Amino acid sequence: KAHLTGLHVKAEIVLPVTENDVIVPESLIEEQERVIELQASAAKTQFDAAIGANNVEGEWRIGRGMASEVLRHHAHASDLVIVGQANPATAVSNDVPEGVLQDTGRPTLIVPYAGIGPAFAQNVMVAWDDSAPAARAVHDALALIAKAKRVEVVTVRAKDDEATDDPCAEICAHLQRHGVNAESVTLRKNGAKVSGMLLGHATDIGCDLLVMGSYGHSRWREFIFGGVTADMLEKTTIPIFTSH
């Protein structure tokens, strides 16, 4: 019974760089505007067909400008933002989803470019470092986590860390009080990128939803998530639920 808002952001007109005050032909501007309008029309057709086929209540909105700026404005009055991963095969990327994570204040679901498989949020992996963004992501995603058939809470520790405590024990106990039987897993840093370790483990266990905090600057930046959030969002083939 969710209300779904479809938001399409029109690109800005790009004027070619000229020398000696050469005037750009108006036809070039008109052609760009024509393509932009066709893209918007095609997007609306897809959205209307999708909500119609799935009997979803929805509305269509158009914005113009930088995608993250437009999306931030509309996201503030929503429960969840759903955005697509940029095409990993293209060198040019837009400012979504990375750009929208920092400022909307809303949880975000990143849909992989390859799409979502037949199962979703049945086998959930939580990337955990006992930080505020990670805690917020877990609690924002609790409605999904509570319905999962399997939940793993995964942390990464340095190879030479001799601590014997379970860094996921408290959050697993908290989830248990919400009816979630979560398993604690600790990965040892082995020289590989943390993003690769987490995504590799998620693939190994057949994860169909990864829950993680999104990070800007933090004291863990070079070790855990701060330096790898964008890397994970770029390379993931698994839906990611994240909060900042």
Side-chain angles (χ1 to χ4, degrees), residues 81 83 97-110 126-141 198 210-221 224-234 240-244:
V81 178
V83 297
E98 293 88 348
V100 76
L101 296 180
Q102 306 304 317
D103 301 319
T104 63
R106 310 308 304 138
T108 302
L109 178 65
I110 314 296
V126 175
W128 182 252
D129 71 339
D130 196 25
S131 67
R136 181 168 184 171
V138 168
H139 290 86
D140 284 344
L198 291 170
L210 174 58
V211 177
M212 61 175 284
S214 64
Y215 295 75
H217 297 281
S218 75
R219 63 187 177 86
W220 290 61
R221 181 175 179 84
I224 300 291
F225 297 106
V228 301
T229 300
D231 196 37
M232 290 187 70
L233 297 182
E234 177 185 348
I240 294 181
F241 184 108
T242 186
S243 297
H244 174 73

Side-chain angles (χ1 to χ4, degrees), residues 42-242:
K44 184 178 187 303
T45 298
Q46 286 183 310
F47 179 80
D48 289 343
I51 63 172
N54 292 280
N55 194 29
V56 175
E57 177 188 346
E59 64 176 292
W60 181 250
R61 296 181 185 178
I62 291 286
R64 187 151 204 172
M66 183 176 290
S68 62
E69 293 291 333
V70 178
L71 183 53
R72 177 166 55 242
H73 168 71
H74 291 273
H76 286 163
S78 66
D79 297 312
L80 176 68
V81 178
I82 304 174
V83 297
Q85 178 192 42
N87 184 351
T90 60
V92 179
S93 176
N94 57 20
D95 57 344
V96 176
E98 293 88 348
V100 76
L101 296 180
Q102 306 304 317
D103 301 319
T104 63
R106 310 308 304 138
T108 302
L109 178 65
I110 314 296
V111 178
Y113 182 76
I116 293 178
F120 172 70
Q122 295 300 300
N123 187 352
V124 176
M125 176 178 139
V126 175
W128 182 252
D129 71 339
D130 196 25
S131 67
R136 181 168 184 171
V138 168
H139 290 86
D140 284 344
L142 195 55
L144 289 173
I145 294 173
K147 294 181 180 180
K149 294 179 180 178
R150 180 185 180 190
V151 178
E152 277 196 12
V153 181
V154 180
T155 194
V156 178
R157 274 187 162 175
K159 188 176 181 179
D160 57 355
D161 187 340
E162 297 180 355
T164 58
D165 64 305
D166 181 354
C168 303
E170 288 197 26
I171 189 63
C172 285
H174 177 68
L175 289 172
Q176 182 67 55
R177 290 189 285 270
H178 285 273
V180 178
N181 186 22
E183 177 185 354
S184 172
V185 175
T186 298
L187 304 179
R188 292 288 178 175
K189 204 167 187 304
N190 56 12
K193 285 187 175 181
V194 173
S195 57
M197 292 176 63
L198 291 170
L199 290 173
H201 184 74
T203 300
D204 290 343
I205 66 172
C207 167
D208 53 33
L209 178 65
L210 174 58
V211 177
M212 61 175 284
S214 64
Y215 295 75
H217 297 281
S218 75
R219 63 187 177 86
W220 290 61
R221 181 175 179 84
E222 296 304 323
F223 178 54
I224 300 291
F225 297 106
V228 301
T229 300
D231 196 37
M232 290 187 70
L233 297 182
E234 177 185 348
K235 296 178 180 178
T236 186
T237 57
I238 302 164
I240 294 181
F241 184 108
T242 186

